[in-house]
Amino acid sequence: MRSASPNEAVPATTPAASLVFTTVLSHGPITRTEIARRTKLSSAAVTKAVRPLMEIGYLVEDVGEGARRAIGRPANPVRVDGSRALFVGIKVTGDAIIAVLADLCCRILTARTVPLSGRRPAAVLADIVAVLHDLLTEADAIGGRVRGVGIAVSGDVDRAEGVVRYSPFLEWRDIPLAEIAGTATGLSVTVDNDVRALTRAEHWFGAGVGLSDFALVTVGAGIGCGLVVHGRVVSGAHGVAGEIGHLPIDPQGPLCYCGNRGCVEAVAADPAILRDVRAATGLPVADLAEALELARGADPRVRAVYARAGEAIGRAIASVVNILGPERVIISGEGLAAYDLFAAGIRDAFTRSAFGIAEQCDLTTRPLPFEEWARGAAATAIQSFIGSITLRATT
């Protein structure tokens, strides 16, 4: 497997250059004047950042019949050349690997889904290497070079160290995944929490584009939350910012796998819903599809379980809004398949719990398949790459 050429210099760029690059990535084609407005950088700083990035080919200028100059400065829009580099994004669930090959603009070129052969780190790594080999072959076929890999895993992930501290669905503790995967593949690997990775993609390309403050709440096997504050995806000092699934809402409630009682996740995540549906009905309900069938068949006991789950999620969202005051909360995740059953509970609990004008926060749903989560993993690899693009490259 191939990494960047060893003859290619890659010292870190300036923060201004990274900011300019990501602004063009999200909003391009965009003029330098608009870049300055959005980044609040001076025109001189924008020009200083744009010129070398154009010289090495990561930014290109759109020159058409309307090409013009403004007071000696180019007024043509610039954009990222997506073909300049390729990236692999991998989302690891408890059962499968979802992987995408994306270009520098994070556009998905091809995708793969393969079942896990096992959950032990060695088995997962073997599956990752196999799917990577497949996607590298695809990259070769289109004449591109993969410059980095992003891996998104649920749970407590230390991105800076590349370590999965704890992943409940994989039952991992303290696995140095970035180092292991990097050694096995010869590629630069970035590992991050899956919800944070998805949040970055939404910030750059999705429902969070143009917003300086928003939250992404995911509902499904777990309850997660990604946060963007002042235009940055935040993980906090210890890497666990946004863990609303472990907000305790009922001290006498069910035991959570984290060891506490009454966490949002212990009430509203898919396993909790299935547990409570079985308890409420006394039936050996096999899976969530059967639980949904019972609920939509107007079984009041099952509908009450979903209503409680919605209330727990709504209270958790209100806590986020009361503390951080985001412009928007995006609700996503595989649990949206049942959204009609707990939407009213979410809205009612949010309205009761939100303080004052915080109630006006925009709550919006956005179905995002796992391919989009893998795209988020690719976005984390692109972010790492942006941070290391040289201002003067040799090939």
Side-chain angles (χ1 to χ4, degrees), residues 167-322:
S167 181
F169 304 128
L170 294 170
E171 300 179 346
W172 285 4
R173 287 190 183 274
D174 299 321
I175 303 299
L177 185 58
E179 179 184 352
I180 294 171
T183 299
T185 64
L187 293 165
S188 173
V189 177
T190 302
V191 176
D192 206 350
N193 169 269
D194 57 351
V195 178
R196 277 202 300 270
L198 182 63
T199 302
R200 184 167 309 287
E202 284 299 284
H203 187 208
W204 283 359
F205 312 110
V209 170
L211 301 181
S212 62
D213 299 89
F214 74 92
L216 171 69
V217 172
T218 58
V219 179
I223 307 295
C225 180
L227 302 170
V228 172
V229 178
H230 300 320
R232 294 178 177 271
V233 178
V234 298
S235 56
H238 306 290
V240 293
E243 286 289 347
I244 66 169
H246 297 286
L247 286 176
I249 59 171
D250 180 6
Q252 305 304 316
L255 184 66
C256 181
Y257 67 79
C258 73
N260 294 318
R261 287 194 173 275
C263 293
V264 175
E265 200 157 295
V267 175
D270 287 347
I273 290 173
L274 188 57
R275 177 202 65 216
D276 290 348
V277 167
R278 288 167 176 162
T281 62
L283 299 173
V285 179
D287 51 30
L288 285 168
E290 190 174 338
L292 279 173
E293 185 178 356
L294 289 170
R296 292 188 174 131
D299 188 315
R301 301 165 298 178
V302 181
R303 295 184 73 88
V305 170
Y306 279 99
R308 285 196 298 273
E311 180 180 3
I313 295 166
R315 288 174 61 186
I317 291 174
S319 296
V320 172
V321 172
N322 287 344

Side-chain angles (χ1 to χ4, degrees), residues 12 22 92 95-97 129-130 193 206 222 224 226 269 301 304 310 337 354 382:
T22 55
V92 183
D95 304 303
I97 287 175
V129 170
N193 169 269
R301 301 165 298 178
I382 291 171

